Amino acid sequence: MNLEYIKNNKLFKVLLNFLNNNIDIILFFTLICIKVMSYARNISSSYLSGLVFFPIAASALILVSFSLIFKKKSRVTFLYIADVVVSLILIADLMYYRYFKDITTLAAVKNAKLLQGVSDSVGSVANIKDLYYLLDIFILLPAVRFYKRRIKNIKPISKRLVSFLAMFILGASVNAAIFRWVSKVQPTLLTAMSNRIYLTTMIGNINFHMVDSYNYISTSVKNSKKLSEDRENEIKNFLENNNKSTGEINLKGEAEGKNLIVIQVEALQNFVINQKVNGQEITPNLNRWVNKCMYFDNYFYQVAGGNTSDAEFMSNNSLYPAQSGSAYYTYSGNKYDSLASALKDKNYYTAAMHGNSEGFWNRNVMYKAQNFDDFFGEHSFNIDEKIGLGLSDKSFLNQSLEKLKSFKEPYYGFLVTLTSHFPYEAVDKYGEFDVGEYEGTFIGKYLKAIHYTDAQLGEFLDALEQQGIMDNSVIALYGDHFAIPKDNAEELFKFENEEESDDFTWFKYQKVPLLLHFPQDEYAGVNHKYSCQMDLYPTLANLYNLPRNYMFGKDMLNGDDEKVIFRNGSFIDGKNLYVSWTNTYYSLESGEKINETEELKEEKNQYTKELQYCDDLLNHNLIKTFTEKK
Ligand code: GP9
Ligand code: MN
């Protein structure tokens, strides 16, 4: 087989011709895959074992498909520019990752002022090696010019469109399969975006930015469509009514001028309070503090797709969580009338604290949007003891105490704990707690985890008391959401000796404790009123004499409203429970099913309306509109 033969071979000619005609595409595809894969390796070694190459290649194919619409010279330019853009985005993402352990989003870029951390320390997060992402761009520039000069034949638009479609469908189908797989293994990850860097490790960097841009644009479109004046007024009237207080007001202004310390505890469910396992109290410290506090034992969590972040969102804004996904991500560009803003208006210093990476749940962006002066995240703590997702509760609470002591008074400190996080395994070696027959079970692991957190909370609360901080502070402590998922409900029912395992029984356990502590243990006692996370801010607003403008919840210390509306449309009205997924009502007193009456139907419609009011308010950024019109 001599050289001449190879040259004249038909197949070889076709191949050469193909290469000659498509070298721009082949080069672009290869370079993009190499760059994104190398970014992937930079942010997570788990990438290497994953199948992340496929979504990365699919996203590169989608980019290529668009270039096929153009005439060839423009196609080359398009690909060259796309290479530049992708490379710059990768560099930005790398720098962002080095600081926040997260990936940039459009919302974060738009609020560039929120990226203080990165911009203040560009020097420390930039790395000369990053220029490697731009190397090809310089090298290829003359080659691109040369190649463009040689292009002669132009394909008709019909052929170009067919190539575009074929390539696009190929890329999109691979992506669709990957996205379906992601939603299966991590059901809420794509919509809630709780852990974006983890999502990126599954779908690749370009896909992440495509999903993020889609989400950002669709929210902006929803935001930009103006609501009718009538609808705006309807929502405004509802809110005015909801926030009106009448008659004598219990404890109004009682906490005015005092510090406020709010502690949101990871997966603290109410059933562990005053409960024993293997003859020992599960939460001996909280049980002690329950007696010194105003304790709400019918306080429901209402989180939806945003989980922990929804609990934060409701407690600080008295707004319902987003219909899907998490408000902390979707509505991070909105204006809020949050607890921190209201206290800031009263000259409070406000700070949020959490021992995990700043970008988790978009906190770095959302705390600013909610007007916190400072956010102390992973970077602001000495990570001297890591358990599970981040800094141990022990170290977090110790260091937070020192921070609180250094704050200018009066202050609002918002603390979010972490260690008692699902799947409750990491904490096992950090404390001895004999759960007897539950050893090794899911519930047993949870009891150990929450027992550990209880010990840390006990130390923290005792220190606040002993060091005199409680004399001039009000403390609110509550659980963020369930600990035992529906899948493990049977274990919980068995632990609690429940005979029934119906929806009514399930709801009985969807409570988290709320403890309100006043100086000198004043007002201690149990309050059985039906209440929920939406009610914390209105209640604190009354205690701190803050204006109530846009709150959907109620003041738990005034009035006899016992409304609790869940994001899925289920509700409690003080007498009945409505379970939306079966359209069934239960009597709260007897636990028996009851028939729907006209009154109940009316109530159901009204509560659905309230959720829609809140959706409209968030989708159209109405707090901004209302405040501007004031
Ligand atoms: C992460 C922590 C856990 O920082 O708040 O969030 P979750 O998984 O419980 O929603
Ligand atoms: Mn949580």
PDB file of all heavy atoms in Angstrom, residues 264-267 307-309 311 361 363 416-418 420-422 480-482, ligand 2:
ATOM      1  N   GLN A 264     -32.003  28.779  64.270  1.00  0.00           N
ATOM      2  CA  GLN A 264     -32.730  27.788  63.462  1.00  0.00           C
ATOM      3  C   GLN A 264     -31.941  26.483  63.534  1.00  0.00           C
ATOM      4  O   GLN A 264     -30.777  26.432  63.138  1.00  0.00           O
ATOM      5  CB  GLN A 264     -32.857  28.282  62.020  1.00  0.00           C
ATOM      6  CG  GLN A 264     -33.569  27.269  61.137  1.00  0.00           C
ATOM      7  CD  GLN A 264     -33.856  27.784  59.731  1.00  0.00           C
ATOM      8  OE1 GLN A 264     -34.503  28.806  59.553  1.00  0.00           O
ATOM      9  NE2 GLN A 264     -33.391  27.069  58.733  1.00  0.00           N
ATOM     10  N   VAL A 265     -32.604  25.453  64.049  1.00  0.00           N
ATOM     11  CA  VAL A 265     -31.887  24.196  64.297  1.00  0.00           C
ATOM     12  C   VAL A 265     -32.200  23.175  63.200  1.00  0.00           C
ATOM     13  O   VAL A 265     -33.367  22.906  62.904  1.00  0.00           O
ATOM     14  CB  VAL A 265     -32.245  23.617  65.678  1.00  0.00           C
ATOM     15  CG1 VAL A 265     -31.436  22.354  65.953  1.00  0.00           C
ATOM     16  CG2 VAL A 265     -32.015  24.659  66.762  1.00  0.00           C
ATOM     17  N   GLU A 266     -31.144  22.602  62.653  1.00  0.00           N
ATOM     18  CA  GLU A 266     -31.284  21.616  61.585  1.00  0.00           C
ATOM     19  C   GLU A 266     -32.075  20.389  62.062  1.00  0.00           C
ATOM     20  O   GLU A 266     -31.725  19.777  63.076  1.00  0.00           O
ATOM     21  CB  GLU A 266     -29.881  21.198  61.098  1.00  0.00           C
ATOM     22  CG  GLU A 266     -29.873  20.129  60.019  1.00  0.00           C
ATOM     23  CD  GLU A 266     -30.605  20.536  58.743  1.00  0.00           C
ATOM     24  OE1 GLU A 266     -30.540  21.715  58.351  1.00  0.00           O
ATOM     25  OE2 GLU A 266     -31.251  19.667  58.145  1.00  0.00           O
ATOM     26  N   ALA A 267     -33.134  20.086  61.315  1.00  0.00           N
ATOM     27  CA  ALA A 267     -33.917  18.851  61.518  1.00  0.00           C
ATOM     28  C   ALA A 267     -34.344  18.596  62.972  1.00  0.00           C
ATOM     29  O   ALA A 267     -34.365  17.456  63.419  1.00  0.00           O
ATOM     30  CB  ALA A 267     -33.145  17.647  60.981  1.00  0.00           C
ATOM     31  N   ASN A 307     -36.479  23.640  51.306  1.00  0.00           N
ATOM     32  CA  ASN A 307     -36.039  23.025  52.557  1.00  0.00           C
ATOM     33  C   ASN A 307     -35.552  24.032  53.609  1.00  0.00           C
ATOM     34  O   ASN A 307     -36.291  24.935  53.982  1.00  0.00           O
ATOM     35  CB  ASN A 307     -34.955  22.000  52.232  1.00  0.00           C
ATOM     36  CG  ASN A 307     -35.191  20.702  52.969  1.00  0.00           C
ATOM     37  OD1 ASN A 307     -36.322  20.418  53.369  1.00  0.00           O
ATOM     38  ND2 ASN A 307     -34.160  19.923  53.165  1.00  0.00           N
ATOM     39  N   THR A 308     -34.297  23.880  54.080  1.00  0.00           N
ATOM     40  CA  THR A 308     -33.767  24.775  55.108  1.00  0.00           C
ATOM     41  C   THR A 308     -33.950  26.236  54.718  1.00  0.00           C
ATOM     42  O   THR A 308     -34.323  27.071  55.541  1.00  0.00           O
ATOM     43  CB  THR A 308     -32.246  24.540  55.284  1.00  0.00           C
ATOM     44  OG1 THR A 308     -32.045  23.189  55.606  1.00  0.00           O
ATOM     45  CG2 THR A 308     -31.672  25.409  56.367  1.00  0.00           C
ATOM     46  N   SER A 309     -33.685  26.537  53.450  1.00  0.00           N
ATOM     47  CA  SER A 309     -33.745  27.938  53.023  1.00  0.00           C
ATOM     48  C   SER A 309     -35.181  28.452  53.084  1.00  0.00           C
ATOM     49  O   SER A 309     -35.415  29.634  53.341  1.00  0.00           O
ATOM     50  CB  SER A 309     -33.158  28.107  51.624  1.00  0.00           C
ATOM     51  OG  SER A 309     -33.985  27.496  50.668  1.00  0.00           O
ATOM     52  N   ALA A 311     -37.320  27.592  55.386  1.00  0.00           N
ATOM     53  CA  ALA A 311     -37.560  27.891  56.799  1.00  0.00           C
ATOM     54  C   ALA A 311     -36.988  29.268  57.135  1.00  0.00           C
ATOM     55  O   ALA A 311     -37.605  30.079  57.827  1.00  0.00           O
ATOM     56  CB  ALA A 311     -36.931  26.825  57.682  1.00  0.00           C
ATOM     57  N   TRP A 361     -27.386  27.141  49.253  1.00  0.00           N
ATOM     58  CA  TRP A 361     -28.726  27.756  49.271  1.00  0.00           C
ATOM     59  C   TRP A 361     -28.685  29.237  48.870  1.00  0.00           C
ATOM     60  O   TRP A 361     -29.565  30.000  49.253  1.00  0.00           O
ATOM     61  CB  TRP A 361     -29.413  27.593  50.626  1.00  0.00           C
ATOM     62  CG  TRP A 361     -30.045  26.252  50.859  1.00  0.00           C
ATOM     63  CD1 TRP A 361     -29.852  25.433  51.920  1.00  0.00           C
ATOM     64  CD2 TRP A 361     -30.999  25.566  50.017  1.00  0.00           C
ATOM     65  NE1 TRP A 361     -30.605  24.280  51.795  1.00  0.00           N
ATOM     66  CE2 TRP A 361     -31.316  24.332  50.643  1.00  0.00           C
ATOM     67  CE3 TRP A 361     -31.622  25.877  48.796  1.00  0.00           C
ATOM     68  CZ2 TRP A 361     -32.212  23.415  50.086  1.00  0.00           C
ATOM     69  CZ3 TRP A 361     -32.501  24.955  48.253  1.00  0.00           C
ATOM     70  CH2 TRP A 361     -32.796  23.752  48.897  1.00  0.00           C
ATOM     71  N   ARG A 363     -27.086  31.598  49.998  1.00  0.00           N
ATOM     72  CA  ARG A 363     -27.159  32.470  51.172  1.00  0.00           C
ATOM     73  C   ARG A 363     -26.365  33.757  50.975  1.00  0.00           C
ATOM     74  O   ARG A 363     -26.793  34.825  51.404  1.00  0.00           O
ATOM     75  CB  ARG A 363     -26.638  31.732  52.403  1.00  0.00           C
ATOM     76  CG  ARG A 363     -27.587  30.679  52.934  1.00  0.00           C
ATOM     77  CD  ARG A 363     -27.058  30.081  54.217  1.00  0.00           C
ATOM     78  NE  ARG A 363     -28.006  29.184  54.817  1.00  0.00           N
ATOM     79  CZ  ARG A 363     -27.948  27.843  54.726  1.00  0.00           C
ATOM     80  NH1 ARG A 363     -26.967  27.263  54.074  1.00  0.00           N
ATOM     81  NH2 ARG A 363     -28.862  27.094  55.304  1.00  0.00           N
ATOM     82  N   VAL A 416     -27.837  29.545  62.110  1.00  0.00           N
ATOM     83  CA  VAL A 416     -28.407  28.341  61.507  1.00  0.00           C
ATOM     84  C   VAL A 416     -27.453  27.182  61.771  1.00  0.00           C
ATOM     85  O   VAL A 416     -26.302  27.208  61.325  1.00  0.00           O
ATOM     86  CB  VAL A 416     -28.599  28.539  59.983  1.00  0.00           C
ATOM     87  CG1 VAL A 416     -29.200  27.279  59.351  1.00  0.00           C
ATOM     88  CG2 VAL A 416     -29.491  29.749  59.702  1.00  0.00           C
ATOM     89  N   THR A 417     -27.911  26.176  62.528  1.00  0.00           N
ATOM     90  CA  THR A 417     -27.020  25.052  62.857  1.00  0.00           C
ATOM     91  C   THR A 417     -26.985  24.035  61.705  1.00  0.00           C
ATOM     92  O   THR A 417     -27.737  24.149  60.746  1.00  0.00           O
ATOM     93  CB  THR A 417     -27.437  24.328  64.155  1.00  0.00           C
ATOM     94  OG1 THR A 417     -28.600  23.538  63.890  1.00  0.00           O
ATOM     95  CG2 THR A 417     -27.708  25.308  65.276  1.00  0.00           C
ATOM     96  N   LEU A 418     -26.128  23.032  61.823  1.00  0.00           N
ATOM     97  CA  LEU A 418     -25.887  22.169  60.668  1.00  0.00           C
ATOM     98  C   LEU A 418     -25.686  20.677  60.990  1.00  0.00           C
ATOM     99  O   LEU A 418     -26.079  19.806  60.202  1.00  0.00           O
ATOM    100  CB  LEU A 418     -24.632  22.695  59.948  1.00  0.00           C
ATOM    101  CG  LEU A 418     -24.199  22.053  58.648  1.00  0.00           C
ATOM    102  CD1 LEU A 418     -25.305  22.155  57.607  1.00  0.00           C
ATOM    103  CD2 LEU A 418     -22.945  22.738  58.106  1.00  0.00           C
ATOM    104  N   SER A 420     -26.862  18.222  62.813  1.00  0.00           N
ATOM    105  CA  SER A 420     -27.903  17.175  62.872  1.00  0.00           C
ATOM    106  C   SER A 420     -28.580  17.019  61.512  1.00  0.00           C
ATOM    107  O   SER A 420     -29.798  16.991  61.409  1.00  0.00           O
ATOM    108  CB  SER A 420     -28.931  17.529  63.945  1.00  0.00           C
ATOM    109  OG  SER A 420     -29.337  18.874  63.810  1.00  0.00           O
ATOM    110  N   HIS A 421     -27.766  16.963  60.482  1.00  0.00           N
ATOM    111  CA  HIS A 421     -28.292  16.882  59.116  1.00  0.00           C
ATOM    112  C   HIS A 421     -28.401  15.431  58.658  1.00  0.00           C
ATOM    113  O   HIS A 421     -27.549  14.609  58.988  1.00  0.00           O
ATOM    114  CB  HIS A 421     -27.364  17.674  58.170  1.00  0.00           C
ATOM    115  CG  HIS A 421     -27.945  17.893  56.817  1.00  0.00           C
ATOM    116  ND1 HIS A 421     -27.823  16.980  55.800  1.00  0.00           N
ATOM    117  CD2 HIS A 421     -28.669  18.922  56.318  1.00  0.00           C
ATOM    118  CE1 HIS A 421     -28.438  17.438  54.733  1.00  0.00           C
ATOM    119  NE2 HIS A 421     -28.973  18.616  55.016  1.00  0.00           N
ATOM    120  N   PHE A 422     -29.461  15.165  57.927  1.00  0.00           N
ATOM    121  CA  PHE A 422     -29.637  13.883  57.242  1.00  0.00           C
ATOM    122  C   PHE A 422     -28.321  13.473  56.566  1.00  0.00           C
ATOM    123  O   PHE A 422     -27.648  14.353  56.062  1.00  0.00           O
ATOM    124  CB  PHE A 422     -30.746  14.105  56.199  1.00  0.00           C
ATOM    125  CG  PHE A 422     -31.064  12.925  55.349  1.00  0.00           C
ATOM    126  CD1 PHE A 422     -32.037  12.030  55.734  1.00  0.00           C
ATOM    127  CD2 PHE A 422     -30.396  12.718  54.139  1.00  0.00           C
ATOM    128  CE1 PHE A 422     -32.349  10.944  54.942  1.00  0.00           C
ATOM    129  CE2 PHE A 422     -30.704  11.630  53.343  1.00  0.00           C
ATOM    130  CZ  PHE A 422     -31.676  10.739  53.743  1.00  0.00           C
ATOM    131  N   ASP A 480     -35.988  23.565  61.658  1.00  0.00           N
ATOM    132  CA  ASP A 480     -36.257  24.039  60.298  1.00  0.00           C
ATOM    133  C   ASP A 480     -37.272  23.184  59.547  1.00  0.00           C
ATOM    134  O   ASP A 480     -38.108  23.699  58.817  1.00  0.00           O
ATOM    135  CB  ASP A 480     -34.954  24.209  59.485  1.00  0.00           C
ATOM    136  CG  ASP A 480     -34.172  22.918  59.267  1.00  0.00           C
ATOM    137  OD1 ASP A 480     -34.508  21.895  59.892  1.00  0.00           O
ATOM    138  OD2 ASP A 480     -33.212  22.936  58.474  1.00  0.00           O
ATOM    139  N   HIS A 481     -37.201  21.863  59.738  1.00  0.00           N
ATOM    140  CA  HIS A 481     -38.107  20.984  58.994  1.00  0.00           C
ATOM    141  C   HIS A 481     -38.047  19.583  59.563  1.00  0.00           C
ATOM    142  O   HIS A 481     -37.316  19.321  60.526  1.00  0.00           O
ATOM    143  CB  HIS A 481     -37.757  20.967  57.504  1.00  0.00           C
ATOM    144  CG  HIS A 481     -36.304  20.714  57.235  1.00  0.00           C
ATOM    145  ND1 HIS A 481     -35.708  19.506  57.468  1.00  0.00           N
ATOM    146  CD2 HIS A 481     -35.319  21.544  56.802  1.00  0.00           C
ATOM    147  CE1 HIS A 481     -34.425  19.584  57.165  1.00  0.00           C
ATOM    148  NE2 HIS A 481     -34.151  20.819  56.769  1.00  0.00           N
ATOM    149  N   PHE A 482     -38.741  18.673  58.930  1.00  0.00           N
ATOM    150  CA  PHE A 482     -38.789  17.281  59.396  1.00  0.00           C
ATOM    151  C   PHE A 482     -37.389  16.674  59.446  1.00  0.00           C
ATOM    152  O   PHE A 482     -36.488  17.095  58.725  1.00  0.00           O
ATOM    153  CB  PHE A 482     -39.666  16.443  58.467  1.00  0.00           C
ATOM    154  CG  PHE A 482     -39.106  16.338  57.069  1.00  0.00           C
ATOM    155  CD1 PHE A 482     -38.241  15.322  56.740  1.00  0.00           C
ATOM    156  CD2 PHE A 482     -39.427  17.287  56.105  1.00  0.00           C
ATOM    157  CE1 PHE A 482     -37.699  15.224  55.466  1.00  0.00           C
ATOM    158  CE2 PHE A 482     -38.893  17.203  54.823  1.00  0.00           C
ATOM    159  CZ  PHE A 482     -38.022  16.177  54.505  1.00  0.00           C
TER     160      PHE A 482
HETATM  161 MN    MN B   2     -32.195  21.697  57.005  1.00  0.00          MN
END
